[in-house]
Amino acid sequence: MSDNTRSGGEIRRDAEDPTRHTGSDTTQTFGHDSDLSFVPFGSDLTDAEREAISALPTRSAILLVRSGPTAGARYLLDTDVTTIGRHPEADIFFDDVTVSRRHAEITRTGPTFELVDQRSLNGTYVNGDRVDRAALVDGSELRIGKFRLNFFVSPLDRDQAPAA
């Protein structure tokens, strides 16, 4: 069907049709470059965060949400592939319009973790740089939509993981 419809003798574009469902299932882009600024968080970890990091088993890591709607949340990375996005079936579900449905993946190979952007609209950032793919090192800062996170690898694997 074309994007013109005939209704009651008048022709109008679908986009102008008030009965047409537009939904809100789209990713919104950031409005200003200032939203993309990189100001690193300090190493001001709480005692609970330090305990969580020190308790990590080998071949695992943790993401700490530093800012965004779920600030304070912690995500254990203990599988070979962890999906991040706005899709409800994502391993790390960020319910925010600045996050694409399938935004990024974190892959694990041995003690090494890598962030891979999945062609997201707003991009994926590591330490302030937009990346398609980047190795994660202890303390790396990630930005996915309006969420800012820090990555920490298990202390048991720090000798084998890439250095900053």
Side-chain angles (χ1 to χ4, degrees), residues 51-67:
E51 278 182 39
I53 293 167
S54 66
L56 288 171
T58 188
R59 291 182 34 91
S60 68
I62 194 168
L63 283 177
L64 306 175
V65 182
R66 310 298 266 162
S67 70

Side-chain angles (χ1 to χ4, degrees), residues 18-163:
T19 63
R20 183 172 175 250
H21 173 69
T22 57
S24 60
D25 194 25
T26 59
T27 303
Q28 290 183 356
T29 57
F30 286 110
H32 304 285
D33 287 341
S34 62
D35 293 327
L36 303 177
S37 63
F38 174 64
V39 178
F41 285 98
S43 57
D44 51 340
L45 298 172
T46 66
D47 290 340
E49 290 170 335
R50 275 193 276 284
E51 278 182 39
I53 293 167
S54 66
L56 288 171
T58 188
R59 291 182 34 91
S60 68
I62 194 168
L63 283 177
L64 306 175
V65 182
R66 310 298 266 162
S67 70
T70 59
R74 292 180 243 161
Y75 296 99
L76 177 64
L77 304 174
D78 62 351
T79 59
D80 290 337
V81 177
T82 302
T83 59
I84 303 171
R86 192 166 35 93
H87 193 281
E89 292 179 11
D91 297 317
I92 298 176
F93 172 60
F94 288 146
D95 188 15
D96 188 85
V97 295
T98 61
V99 177
S100 295
R101 289 171 53 78
R102 288 176 177 77
H103 199 101
E105 288 182 348
I106 296 177
T107 60
R108 176 183 69 183
T109 307
T112 303
F113 289 82
E114 185 176 45
L115 180 69
V116 182
D117 182 77
Q118 298 296 302
R119 296 177 21 206
S120 63
L121 183 61
N122 283 318
T124 303
Y125 294 76
V126 174
N127 297 328
D129 296 323
R130 187 171 181 156
V131 298
D132 290 327
R133 174 180 297 266
L136 298 176
V137 297
D138 213 46
S140 290
E141 183 179 301
L142 288 60
R143 197 181 72 244
I144 295 171
K146 65 171 66 168
F147 296 83
R148 289 175 67 182
L149 310 98
N150 280 118
F151 169 87
F152 294 96
V153 69
S154 168
L156 301 172
D157 297 328
R158 285 196 181 132
D159 299 353
Q160 301 169 23

